[in-house]
Amino acid sequence: EAQVTQNPRYLITVTGKKLTVTCSQNMNHEYMSWYRQDPGLGLRQIYYSMNVEVTDKGDVPEGYKVSRKEKRNFPLILESPSPNQTSLYFCASSSMSGPYEQYFGPGTRLTVT
Amino acid sequence: RKEVEQDPGPFNVPEGATVAFNCTYSNSASQSFFWYRQDCRKEPKLLMSVYSSGNEDGRFTAQLNRASQYISLLIRDSKLSDSATYLCVVREIKAAGNKLTFGGGTRVLVKP
């Protein structure tokens, strides 16, 4: 089954404690992306990657890091989480050559206290 | 001005009625357009792509108006299960590759 998986699905943590949210896709997609969704602000792109070792900032990259060492995985790293990073996070992937439908993971609800 | 704007709603729709709403975009060079559906706290899922000539998928009709820079979604014979947030998505081609921009979503509530 074609899918994007994210782990963990729910996480409560404290300010400053480094964490990683994993994302994996099994569709051999070149393009992967991280979004955060907050009430009233919609989906905002954090980082994206067009292929292995190719990553770039989205609209709200501050406080986040990513890596793309393998095509299927695109982890999101919060080196020093802060309460304003409390949000619902989605990973997504798509083909670069069309169709451009983005497949989303189930989401990770992060709370930073 | 936001790149992609939607009326947040909610649109309260009686079951069986028709509802329509628009999404405006600011970049006239935008290439592709999509409607996604998102249920509460779940991941967005593609509802339909929007083609230049307009397209229909069952009870859903999407239109593109490039001159006025908006796309629209019309839902006929609304079902209770159509209650969701509908996200407009615009694809642009940037130097770094494709960029997808999401609108804030339009919430639709279908009531008996």
Side-chain angles (χ1 to χ4, degrees):
Chain A
E1 181 192 353
Q3 61 181 351
V4 179
T5 56
Q6 290 179 232
N7 282 291
R9 295 289 314 280
Y10 304 91
L11 179 60
I12 300 174
T13 189
V14 296
T15 299
K17 186 176 180 181
K18 181 180 179 180
L19 66 93
T20 299
V21 184
T22 64
C23 173
S24 183
Q25 49 94 6
N26 62 0
M27 295 167 279
N28 201 37
H29 285 161
E30 301 88 358
Y31 187 93
M32 296 186 75
S33 181
W34 276 103
Y35 298 90
R36 62 177 288 174
Q37 188 171 37
D38 304 288
L41 296 175
L43 274 164
R44 294 180 293 168
Q45 190 178 52
I46 303 170
Y47 268 95
Y48 64 96
S49 169
M50 290 192 291
N51 217 324
V52 175
E53 303 292 0
V54 180
T55 63
D56 209 346
K57 297 177 181 179
D59 299 315
V60 288
E62 294 78 21
Y64 304 95
K65 285 175 57 177
V66 293
S67 68
R68 188 93 182 269
K69 293 183 169 54
E70 303 166 282
K71 197 171 185 179
R72 63 183 293 127
N73 296 324
F74 190 44
L76 179 69
I77 303 156
L78 284 73
E79 295 269 6
S80 182
S82 61
N84 65 12
Q85 292 178 298
T86 293
S87 187
L88 177 58
Y89 291 87
F90 289 105
C91 178
S93 74
S94 65
S95 169
M96 288 281 288
S97 55
Y100 300 103
E101 174 185 0
Q102 289 226 313
Y103 292 82
F104 283 82
T108 295
R109 185 162 291 280
L110 173 65
T111 302
V112 183
T113 61
Chain B
R1 182 186 171 187
K2 289 183 182 177
E3 292 181 54
V4 180
E5 286 197 82
Q6 295 183 249
D7 182 338
F11 284 64
N12 294 300
V13 185
E15 192 176 8
T18 296
V19 61
F21 41 89
N22 295 337
C23 163
T24 59
Y25 59 95
S26 60
N27 186 352
S28 59
S30 297
Q31 296 289 313
S32 308
F33 308 88
F34 309 88
W35 284 106
Y36 278 69
R37 172 195 168 122
Q38 185 177 25
D39 295 298
C40 188
R41 301 190 178 191
K42 299 251 179 109
E43 71 272 26
K45 292 185 178 178
L46 181 68
L47 178 67
M48 59 197 301
S49 301
V50 185
Y51 302 124
S52 297
S53 54
N55 48 302
E56 193 174 299
D57 184 359
R59 297 180 295 105
F60 297 84
T61 301
Q63 297 277 355
L64 167 63
N65 186 318
R66 281 198 181 271
S68 301
Q69 295 183 207
Y70 73 88
I71 64 173
S72 63
L73 182 67
L74 181 145
I75 308 173
R76 282 187 303 278
D77 187 22
S78 297
K79 312 291 185 191
L80 297 176
S81 58
D82 294 333
S83 296
T85 297
Y86 292 85
L87 302 171
C88 164
V89 183
V90 174
R91 182 178 72 92
E92 302 168 58
I93 297 178
K94 301 280 191 182
N98 290 310
K99 177 177 169 58
L100 292 179
T101 303
F102 285 77
T106 295
R107 191 165 171 223
V108 172
L109 295 173
V110 182
K111 301 188 174 180

